[in-house]
Amino acid sequence: MARRVLVVDDELNMLSLFRRILTEEGYEMESAATGHDALRMLEDSGFDLVISDLEVPGVDGMKLLKHVRQACPDVPFIVVTGYGTVESAVAAMKDGAHDYITKPFEREELKIVIRKAMERRELFVEVTRLRSEQDAQFSFESIIGKSKKMQDIFSMTRRIADSASTVLIQGESGTGKELFAKAIHRSSPRKNKPFLAVNASGLPESLLESELFGHVKGAFTGAIRSKKGLFEEADGGTLFLDEIGDVALALQAKLLRVLQEREVKPVGSNEVRKVDVRVIAATNRELTEAVREKGFREDLYYRLAVITLHIPPLRDRTEDLSLLVEHFIKKYATLNHKDIQSVSREVMERLLKHGWKGNVRELENVIERAVIISDNKEVGIESLPPEFQPEIGRLTVPEFGSGPLAEVVERATRLVERQAIVKALSDVRGNKSEACRRLQISRGTLYNKIRTHGL
């Protein structure tokens, strides 16, 4: 669609000139002779750019600029003025005008100013779109889960987002604890302030202390300049402390002081600095057990656990697995420019039986790998990692049940035969002639085996 420009001027010859230039540039132009007409048109129709003389009847250019800045902050405003009123044009730019141009002007000069204004408009629209996508990515609705356990967590998380209380998120590695922390931040009044994260288990105690509280120049060897800590950097926003259960006891005491007093003391300094930070902590440890074993301060635990969220492991919400698989298939098919839409029934069966010790993170890695190496529209068993493949030659007696030896052997034989046929067909992507050659059986025998084993 052609971009639309509103030109506000009461001189017919100027309007005619603007129309010729804008038409040459591929824009649609509408005009208004008075400020009142311009206000009415701005209410009724959307414009991509406003060009206005400062001296127009009714509502003057400055008042019109203020209205556009309030009602349409994404629409650039170009001021047109004579040589004698350049100071007014500069004042207009201070009030939010994108640029100004003086009469008389060169056609190319006007074209350049308009192009730059349109580029600004496009940049604003793109930034707005990206922010909207980011909001969607970290909104509670985009954290995938239809199970009751996840729906209960979503409900709780929505209720706590607006508060300033500390939150403790507990769950195994890979369950999405940081994703929930970001979602809480993005849904809170602090969403326009920083969200900073630090993994407490990834840094030595001395370095973690400096990272959190900052340090002054000369506080330790290598401290060649003063540095703000994350608590100060996140002022007004949210600080996510991942793996809080691994923080040393000495540092726990300093964290407790920050939470109680809302102030930090940089390493090597006697000065305290006030901070306003919401803390969200996470751990894959059971902190109550750590408290009993004197490995975690009880007072800090209660200070952190004002609100506690327990994120269930993937194995306890398998009803969510198909949704997650669909989401990751779509995500990585798009990233890798592939036309992959689903996984085979056998693949889904194996995914459902898997233990998922790495939880959602492990599932995402498996699907990403499968999408990358798959050549079909449907991900087959051959695209999964080795641990998901049929285990030929590594079967054990308990898998076949108990009973007379002949029956155990018969069950084992049937299972091994089935797996051998499945693997052969998978290796050759369903080419039955090639599968027969590899298995050294006739095509008729293969068809009989396929029927026998329900393949």
Side-chain angles (χ1 to χ4, degrees), residues 43-252:
E43 289 177 358
D44 294 340
S45 303
F47 291 93
D48 297 290
L49 173 65
V50 176
I51 303 174
S52 177
D53 196 303
L54 283 179
E55 305 291 336
V56 289
V59 178
D60 64 25
M62 291 297 288
K63 291 180 180 178
L64 183 61
L65 168 62
K66 291 179 181 178
H67 172 82
V68 172
R69 293 269 54 79
Q70 291 176 357
C72 318
D74 57 324
V75 176
F77 194 104
I78 296 175
V79 170
V80 181
T81 184
Y83 281 121
T85 56
V86 171
E87 290 183 0
S88 297
V90 173
M93 290 188 66
K94 290 181 179 179
D95 284 346
H98 170 74
D99 207 341
Y100 72 92
I101 191 166
T102 56
K103 300 177 182 178
F105 49 78
E106 297 290 335
R107 294 166 65 94
E108 289 304 316
E109 178 187 6
L110 177 61
K111 289 180 180 180
I112 291 172
V113 172
I114 291 174
R115 287 170 190 163
K116 288 182 177 179
M118 286 299 187
E119 288 173 2
R120 177 183 181 275
R121 160 76 166 161
E122 291 170 0
L123 179 61
F124 187 98
V125 170
E126 178 66 9
V127 169
T128 301
R129 182 186 68 80
L130 291 173
R131 283 179 177 169
S132 177
E133 288 182 357
Q134 186 181 33
D135 287 342
Q137 180 184 0
F138 296 128
S139 67
F140 301 122
E141 289 76 11
S142 71
I143 301 176
I144 297 171
K146 63 180 180 180
S147 61
K148 185 179 185 306
K149 289 182 179 180
M150 292 299 287
Q151 290 300 316
D152 288 344
I153 295 173
F154 293 163
S155 177
M156 171 63 79
T157 311
R158 290 188 184 94
R159 292 199 296 271
I160 67 176
D162 286 340
S163 77
S165 301
T166 55
V167 180
L168 178 63
I169 305 176
Q170 295 184 294
E172 296 178 5
S173 295
T175 50
K177 296 187 290 294
E178 185 169 351
L179 188 62
F180 271 96
K182 288 179 178 178
I184 292 170
H185 173 75
R186 298 292 300 178
S187 300
S188 76
R190 299 172 179 264
K191 64 182 180 180
N192 294 321
K193 296 294 184 177
F195 174 91
L196 301 180
V198 61
N199 188 323
S201 67
L203 296 171
E205 180 182 350
S206 58
L207 187 55
L208 179 59
E209 181 179 5
S210 172
E211 190 74 9
L212 291 173
F213 308 131
H215 62 257
V216 296
K217 181 179 179 181
F220 49 84
T221 304
I224 58 176
R225 62 178 64 88
S226 297
K227 175 182 176 296
K228 281 185 178 181
L230 292 176
F231 273 100
E232 285 190 85
E233 295 284 355
D235 192 37
T238 303
L239 180 59
F240 177 58
L241 303 177
D242 199 8
E243 303 303 346
I244 189 69
D246 294 336
V247 173
L249 284 169
L251 192 52
Q252 289 179 29

Side-chain angles (χ1 to χ4, degrees), residues 290-353:
V291 169
R292 286 194 299 270
E293 296 174 353
K294 307 299 182 183
F296 199 85
R297 292 181 62 112
E298 185 175 20
D299 46 6
L300 178 58
Y301 169 74
Y302 288 117
R303 179 64 67 173
L304 290 171
V306 174
I307 301 168
T308 304
L309 295 178
H310 293 273
I311 312 301
L314 183 55
R315 62 182 174 274
D316 289 347
R317 56 182 186 104
T318 53
E319 57 264 58
D320 294 331
L321 195 135
S322 60
L323 289 177
L324 290 164
V325 169
E326 181 182 351
H327 170 74
F328 293 135
I329 286 284
K330 182 178 179 181
K331 174 181 177 180
Y332 289 106
T334 302
L335 286 174
N336 292 283
H337 309 290
K338 290 199 167 187
D339 184 19
I340 299 177
Q341 323 215 336
S342 61
V343 300
S344 70
R345 185 175 65 179
E346 186 180 7
V347 167
M348 184 58 71
E349 288 174 355
R350 291 189 178 273
L351 296 179
L352 286 168
K353 291 177 182 178

